[in-house]
Amino acid sequence: SSTTEPWFDSRSRRRIMNRHEVEVLIEKADKAIVDEDFDTVMNFYTDDAMLVIRPDRIVHGKKDIRTAMEKIAEFFKNSIGVEQRGMKVLEAGDTALVLANTVITSSNFDDIVRQATYVFKKDPDKGWLCIIDNSLNQCNIYLLSILLE
């Protein structure tokens, strides 16, 4: 079992210690989301992954996750920004739980701070892939859930 601690340079908010592979993947996925490169975003998920919109509204599978991501981009008027401000990765065998402090920015809302939770599984051929994405936690959840109904 290993963990990473969020060590930041106070001026740049950049990591100054080694990062877990999953942290690097989340950073790449965030960039792809900002760029609205949904083909790349889907490469970070397992085929049977889940995206939690709210506890009673869960999107299953890459096709439906992609559709949800496209609708989320529209909801934020195609101006979404994503920044991780601290992550902790708890790894046990081929499973990693990620606890993250995430900030979402957009042209049509004030900054949204959320506590995201992810579960990753390590595939022997493909490496770490997200199986559960609960990153929308506290993120205008009511409005998003209406949009994605």
Side-chain angles (χ1 to χ4, degrees):
S1 145
S2 74
T3 63
T4 59
E5 294 292 333
W7 299 104
F8 293 103
D9 174 282
S10 62
R11 284 171 270 157
S12 68
R13 292 194 175 275
R14 292 186 184 268
R15 298 271 177 180
I16 59 175
M17 300 288 290
N18 290 335
R19 296 189 298 165
H20 193 282
E21 289 175 75
V22 172
E23 291 180 81
V24 175
L25 289 174
I26 290 171
E27 182 179 286
K28 289 178 180 179
D30 288 347
K31 182 182 180 332
I33 289 167
V34 169
D35 293 343
E36 296 185 20
D37 179 359
F38 299 114
D39 289 335
T40 297
V41 173
M42 292 305 103
N43 291 332
F44 295 100
Y45 289 97
T46 61
D47 290 335
D48 60 347
M50 298 185 306
L51 173 65
V52 180
I53 305 300
R54 63 178 193 230
D56 64 337
R57 176 77 168 101
I58 299 170
V59 178
H60 296 272
K62 285 184 176 182
K63 180 182 175 203
D64 290 342
I65 291 172
R66 182 190 178 107
T67 300
M69 293 276 184
E70 290 169 350
K71 288 181 179 180
I72 290 165
E74 290 173 26
F75 176 77
F76 286 108
K77 300 199 182 297
N78 303 90
S79 66
I80 195 167
V82 182
E83 178 186 356
Q84 302 299 327
R85 292 196 183 157
M87 252 188 275
K88 184 160 187 96
V89 179
L90 306 170
E91 181 183 334
D94 66 350
T95 305
L97 172 67
V98 182
L99 309 172
N101 291 314
T102 307
V103 178
I104 298 176
T105 58
S106 73
S107 63
N108 59 330
F109 287 98
D110 291 335
D111 291 2
I112 301 164
V113 179
R114 64 180 192 208
Q115 286 68 52
T117 307
Y118 307 91
V119 177
F120 280 75
K121 289 290 267 185
K122 192 167 193 175
D123 180 276
D125 299 319
K126 298 178 183 176
W128 290 103
L129 296 171
C130 185
I131 60 171
I132 301 173
D133 180 343
N134 189 23
S135 61
L136 297 175
N137 183 20
Q138 302 176 13
C139 175
N140 283 317
I141 202 105
Y142 177 72
L143 295 174
L144 279 173
S145 65
I146 291 171
L147 176 72
L148 298 173
E149 286 295 329

